[in-house]
Amino acid sequence: MTKGNPVKKSRPSLLLDAIRSEERFRLLVEAVKDYAIFMLDPQGNVASWNEGAQRAKGYLTSEIVGKNFSKFYTHEDIASGLPEYLLRQAEENGRIEVEGWRVRKDGSRFWADVTLTAIRNEAGKLIGFAKVTRDVTERRQNEETLRAKQAEINQLQKVEALGRLAGGIAHDFNNLLAGILGCAEAISPVFTDDNPAREDLQAIEEACARGRLLVQQLMAFSRRQVAAPKTVHINSIIEGMAQLLQRAIGSTIELHLELDPTLNAIRMDVSQLEQILMNLALNARDAMPVNGRLTIRTANTWVDETNVIDGLPDRPCEAIELTFSDTGIGMSKEIMSKIFEPFYTTKAPGKGTGLGLSTVYGIVQQNKGGISVFSVPKMGSTFKIFLPAQGVVRKNQPLQTEKLSDMFERHRTELILIVDDEPLVLRNTVRALEKVGYSVLSASNAETAIESFTKARGKIRLLLTDIIMPGKNGKELADQLQRQDPMLKILFMSGYSAEIIAEHGIMKEAIALLEKPFNAINLINKVREVFGNAL
Ligand SMILES: Nc1ncnc2c1ncn2[C@@H]1O[C@H](COP(=O)(O)OP(=O)(O)OP(=O)(O)O)[C@@H](O)[C@H]1O
Ligand SMILES: [Mg+2]
């Protein structure tokens, strides 16, 4: 070939190159896995499909070619005409880029970043669209998490600022209250008991007392409260506040006090204690919108590893137990798991700040105590607060387990069946009874308990069961097992008092009941009592 005819020579190779490069391009597009790249005809029907498209949307080429691309859109988008609108936009503008939900073959959704480009021939006629879609769900989720975190930080900053402000106001307000109270006290001797102004004076004093509580709440919230612990007798604080509490809960709720006259003293800041009482009473009020009863009970107790109480120190100690029991709406397990979180509230906006129980929790922890909660929807709630008793040297001696196990030697053949859906309670109860020589079987629900009972063929002497459990309740279980063995002894355990249980009609007759949380001494004594040989 001569030098003068280069065109002739290169033409076939150029064409070949073009074909090859088109083939390479097609292969490249087909092989792309991270992007769905496909072509649509002018009406929006799928004309080509790559591996990325198959991965993103789940359709095989044979399933989707020829079908309209609106298949990838949500029902809402189809109903609003979005697919058609996007095609026309791309046609008019040459290219559009949008983000939105798309639907896979299996019906699941993903957040897509879509580029739609109109393709025209040399004459300018629309011959179709190239569509590139990328699944950016993860990116969107990350952005959302980031946005939520930012909102959380903003909220925390707001709360922090609010806390500072509240602390400042509380401080000044406290001084004002002190002034008012001081004046009220100063003029008090002027008014004799028969003076009609005496009632007004009393109202001023009560209003000041309420104001003081409010201040403490605000101060606790802004963490400015300085605790001044001293020896206190809870009973007298409760009695002193009874009128105020009754007024706070309203006349439709009956306030019941059951205060143990032998109650040990504790060491605590009085205003912190008042705050606990007020918060628990107000929560009980909100849980009983129509009517009901709030029982406040105090008792001496011994805390050991058998009591399952959040936040209590590990070492056993002599403690006092403060119980607030209401007959209100109760709580689901899900709500119960969150109630001590700051700002957690189920109340309508403006009705609750969600700071009440987190403040109570903080105070109890600061005083090395613990809280336990028992609640079931529609059954009411029981909050128990345990605070270390002051200066009491082991009045309730802990169990001398070796000696006791000798004494219980003869029980070894008596089997006890323990049923509770709370694994921790179950484990600790089993452990405490085994420690003193009883043989025990355990079950986490009534159904398993029935199986164990049948297998044990009359060897079980005592059923120790929780009352409120998912599935069959403790009472139904006891009835069924007692029908099989009328000699079977029954001891119930519950976070509720016998009174409340009777009130809800679960149990009409008198029952042997062990109130939760209990310690090893309560447990063993009660078991022995049921067997008729209490210590
Ligand atoms: N006695 C109770 N019965 C039923 N639910 C309760 C009871 N006490 C607390 N709760 C639940 O726990 C949530 C948190 O209580 P918490 O006292 O921390 O906040 P709050 O009462 O909602 O608001 P605040 O106390 O700040 O006015 C309540 O919103 C409610 O759902
Ligand atoms: Mg509250």
PDB file of all heavy atoms in Angstrom, residues 104-117:
ATOM      1  N   ARG A 104     -38.232  -2.613  45.491  1.00  0.00           N
ATOM      2  CA  ARG A 104     -37.581  -3.787  44.890  1.00  0.00           C
ATOM      3  C   ARG A 104     -38.646  -4.815  44.491  1.00  0.00           C
ATOM      4  O   ARG A 104     -39.818  -4.683  44.863  1.00  0.00           O
ATOM      5  CB  ARG A 104     -36.623  -4.436  45.890  1.00  0.00           C
ATOM      6  CG  ARG A 104     -35.482  -3.537  46.301  1.00  0.00           C
ATOM      7  CD  ARG A 104     -34.421  -4.343  47.073  1.00  0.00           C
ATOM      8  NE  ARG A 104     -33.405  -3.464  47.593  1.00  0.00           N
ATOM      9  CZ  ARG A 104     -33.398  -2.929  48.817  1.00  0.00           C
ATOM     10  NH1 ARG A 104     -34.387  -3.217  49.646  1.00  0.00           N
ATOM     11  NH2 ARG A 104     -32.439  -2.137  49.210  1.00  0.00           N
ATOM     12  N   LYS A 105     -38.198  -5.843  43.797  1.00  0.00           N
ATOM     13  CA  LYS A 105     -39.130  -6.892  43.360  1.00  0.00           C
ATOM     14  C   LYS A 105     -39.838  -7.514  44.573  1.00  0.00           C
ATOM     15  O   LYS A 105     -41.035  -7.803  44.540  1.00  0.00           O
ATOM     16  CB  LYS A 105     -38.349  -7.977  42.611  1.00  0.00           C
ATOM     17  CG  LYS A 105     -39.216  -9.077  42.052  1.00  0.00           C
ATOM     18  CD  LYS A 105     -38.364 -10.155  41.425  1.00  0.00           C
ATOM     19  CE  LYS A 105     -39.167 -11.400  41.153  1.00  0.00           C
ATOM     20  NZ  LYS A 105     -38.308 -12.491  40.693  1.00  0.00           N
ATOM     21  N   ASP A 106     -39.091  -7.694  45.687  1.00  0.00           N
ATOM     22  CA  ASP A 106     -39.696  -8.335  46.867  1.00  0.00           C
ATOM     23  C   ASP A 106     -40.568  -7.373  47.687  1.00  0.00           C
ATOM     24  O   ASP A 106     -41.047  -7.717  48.757  1.00  0.00           O
ATOM     25  CB  ASP A 106     -38.607  -8.953  47.758  1.00  0.00           C
ATOM     26  CG  ASP A 106     -37.672  -7.900  48.350  1.00  0.00           C
ATOM     27  OD1 ASP A 106     -37.951  -6.685  48.183  1.00  0.00           O
ATOM     28  OD2 ASP A 106     -36.668  -8.283  48.980  1.00  0.00           O
ATOM     29  N   GLY A 107     -40.759  -6.154  47.160  1.00  0.00           N
ATOM     30  CA  GLY A 107     -41.647  -5.214  47.844  1.00  0.00           C
ATOM     31  C   GLY A 107     -40.925  -4.312  48.839  1.00  0.00           C
ATOM     32  O   GLY A 107     -41.500  -3.335  49.330  1.00  0.00           O
ATOM     33  N   SER A 108     -39.660  -4.631  49.160  1.00  0.00           N
ATOM     34  CA  SER A 108     -38.936  -3.780  50.115  1.00  0.00           C
ATOM     35  C   SER A 108     -38.549  -2.459  49.439  1.00  0.00           C
ATOM     36  O   SER A 108     -38.486  -2.374  48.215  1.00  0.00           O
ATOM     37  CB  SER A 108     -37.698  -4.512  50.635  1.00  0.00           C
ATOM     38  OG  SER A 108     -36.865  -4.844  49.551  1.00  0.00           O
ATOM     39  N   ARG A 109     -38.299  -1.466  50.278  1.00  0.00           N
ATOM     40  CA  ARG A 109     -38.004  -0.138  49.719  1.00  0.00           C
ATOM     41  C   ARG A 109     -36.549   0.228  49.924  1.00  0.00           C
ATOM     42  O   ARG A 109     -35.928  -0.215  50.887  1.00  0.00           O
ATOM     43  CB  ARG A 109     -38.863   0.912  50.432  1.00  0.00           C
ATOM     44  CG  ARG A 109     -40.320   0.785  50.079  1.00  0.00           C
ATOM     45  CD  ARG A 109     -41.139   1.862  50.735  1.00  0.00           C
ATOM     46  NE  ARG A 109     -42.533   1.740  50.302  1.00  0.00           N
ATOM     47  CZ  ARG A 109     -43.425   2.705  50.380  1.00  0.00           C
ATOM     48  NH1 ARG A 109     -43.095   3.876  50.884  1.00  0.00           N
ATOM     49  NH2 ARG A 109     -44.664   2.528  49.953  1.00  0.00           N
ATOM     50  N   PHE A 110     -36.017   1.023  49.052  1.00  0.00           N
ATOM     51  CA  PHE A 110     -34.683   1.585  49.283  1.00  0.00           C
ATOM     52  C   PHE A 110     -34.686   3.037  48.849  1.00  0.00           C
ATOM     53  O   PHE A 110     -35.499   3.454  48.024  1.00  0.00           O
ATOM     54  CB  PHE A 110     -33.598   0.764  48.573  1.00  0.00           C
ATOM     55  CG  PHE A 110     -33.671   0.797  47.062  1.00  0.00           C
ATOM     56  CD1 PHE A 110     -32.830   1.627  46.330  1.00  0.00           C
ATOM     57  CD2 PHE A 110     -34.567  -0.011  46.372  1.00  0.00           C
ATOM     58  CE1 PHE A 110     -32.885   1.664  44.942  1.00  0.00           C
ATOM     59  CE2 PHE A 110     -34.629   0.019  44.985  1.00  0.00           C
ATOM     60  CZ  PHE A 110     -33.793   0.857  44.266  1.00  0.00           C
ATOM     61  N   TRP A 111     -33.772   3.797  49.425  1.00  0.00           N
ATOM     62  CA  TRP A 111     -33.688   5.224  49.095  1.00  0.00           C
ATOM     63  C   TRP A 111     -32.727   5.359  47.923  1.00  0.00           C
ATOM     64  O   TRP A 111     -31.573   4.927  48.005  1.00  0.00           O
ATOM     65  CB  TRP A 111     -33.191   6.013  50.303  1.00  0.00           C
ATOM     66  CG  TRP A 111     -33.245   7.495  50.093  1.00  0.00           C
ATOM     67  CD1 TRP A 111     -32.203   8.316  49.814  1.00  0.00           C
ATOM     68  CD2 TRP A 111     -34.408   8.325  50.156  1.00  0.00           C
ATOM     69  NE1 TRP A 111     -32.627   9.612  49.691  1.00  0.00           N
ATOM     70  CE2 TRP A 111     -33.991   9.650  49.893  1.00  0.00           C
ATOM     71  CE3 TRP A 111     -35.768   8.095  50.380  1.00  0.00           C
ATOM     72  CZ2 TRP A 111     -34.873  10.736  49.873  1.00  0.00           C
ATOM     73  CZ3 TRP A 111     -36.645   9.183  50.353  1.00  0.00           C
ATOM     74  CH2 TRP A 111     -36.202  10.471  50.112  1.00  0.00           C
ATOM     75  N   ALA A 112     -33.229   5.900  46.802  1.00  0.00           N
ATOM     76  CA  ALA A 112     -32.440   5.896  45.571  1.00  0.00           C
ATOM     77  C   ALA A 112     -32.018   7.293  45.145  1.00  0.00           C
ATOM     78  O   ALA A 112     -32.751   8.262  45.339  1.00  0.00           O
ATOM     79  CB  ALA A 112     -33.269   5.255  44.463  1.00  0.00           C
ATOM     80  N   ASP A 113     -30.809   7.325  44.578  1.00  0.00           N
ATOM     81  CA  ASP A 113     -30.336   8.547  43.942  1.00  0.00           C
ATOM     82  C   ASP A 113     -30.408   8.254  42.437  1.00  0.00           C
ATOM     83  O   ASP A 113     -29.780   7.317  41.949  1.00  0.00           O
ATOM     84  CB  ASP A 113     -28.881   8.763  44.398  1.00  0.00           C
ATOM     85  CG  ASP A 113     -28.233   9.924  43.694  1.00  0.00           C
ATOM     86  OD1 ASP A 113     -27.999   9.835  42.466  1.00  0.00           O
ATOM     87  OD2 ASP A 113     -27.962  10.920  44.359  1.00  0.00           O
ATOM     88  N   VAL A 114     -31.225   9.004  41.717  1.00  0.00           N
ATOM     89  CA  VAL A 114     -31.538   8.657  40.326  1.00  0.00           C
ATOM     90  C   VAL A 114     -31.141   9.784  39.368  1.00  0.00           C
ATOM     91  O   VAL A 114     -31.441  10.952  39.613  1.00  0.00           O
ATOM     92  CB  VAL A 114     -33.067   8.412  40.173  1.00  0.00           C
ATOM     93  CG1 VAL A 114     -33.416   8.073  38.737  1.00  0.00           C
ATOM     94  CG2 VAL A 114     -33.529   7.329  41.117  1.00  0.00           C
ATOM     95  N   THR A 115     -30.453   9.394  38.278  1.00  0.00           N
ATOM     96  CA  THR A 115     -30.198  10.365  37.203  1.00  0.00           C
ATOM     97  C   THR A 115     -30.897   9.844  35.946  1.00  0.00           C
ATOM     98  O   THR A 115     -30.720   8.679  35.576  1.00  0.00           O
ATOM     99  CB  THR A 115     -28.686  10.469  36.909  1.00  0.00           C
ATOM    100  OG1 THR A 115     -28.023  10.644  38.141  1.00  0.00           O
ATOM    101  CG2 THR A 115     -28.389  11.640  35.995  1.00  0.00           C
ATOM    102  N   LEU A 116     -31.685  10.714  35.354  1.00  0.00           N
ATOM    103  CA  LEU A 116     -32.443  10.323  34.162  1.00  0.00           C
ATOM    104  C   LEU A 116     -32.030  11.263  33.039  1.00  0.00           C
ATOM    105  O   LEU A 116     -32.152  12.486  33.152  1.00  0.00           O
ATOM    106  CB  LEU A 116     -33.934  10.478  34.491  1.00  0.00           C
ATOM    107  CG  LEU A 116     -34.941   9.822  33.585  1.00  0.00           C
ATOM    108  CD1 LEU A 116     -34.714   8.322  33.472  1.00  0.00           C
ATOM    109  CD2 LEU A 116     -36.345  10.079  34.116  1.00  0.00           C
ATOM    110  N   THR A 117     -31.486  10.670  31.959  1.00  0.00           N
ATOM    111  CA  THR A 117     -30.994  11.510  30.856  1.00  0.00           C
ATOM    112  C   THR A 117     -31.753  11.163  29.577  1.00  0.00           C
ATOM    113  O   THR A 117     -31.877   9.978  29.224  1.00  0.00           O
ATOM    114  CB  THR A 117     -29.484  11.240  30.633  1.00  0.00           C
ATOM    115  OG1 THR A 117     -28.830  11.332  31.897  1.00  0.00           O
ATOM    116  CG2 THR A 117     -28.881  12.238  29.668  1.00  0.00           C
TER     117      THR A 117
END
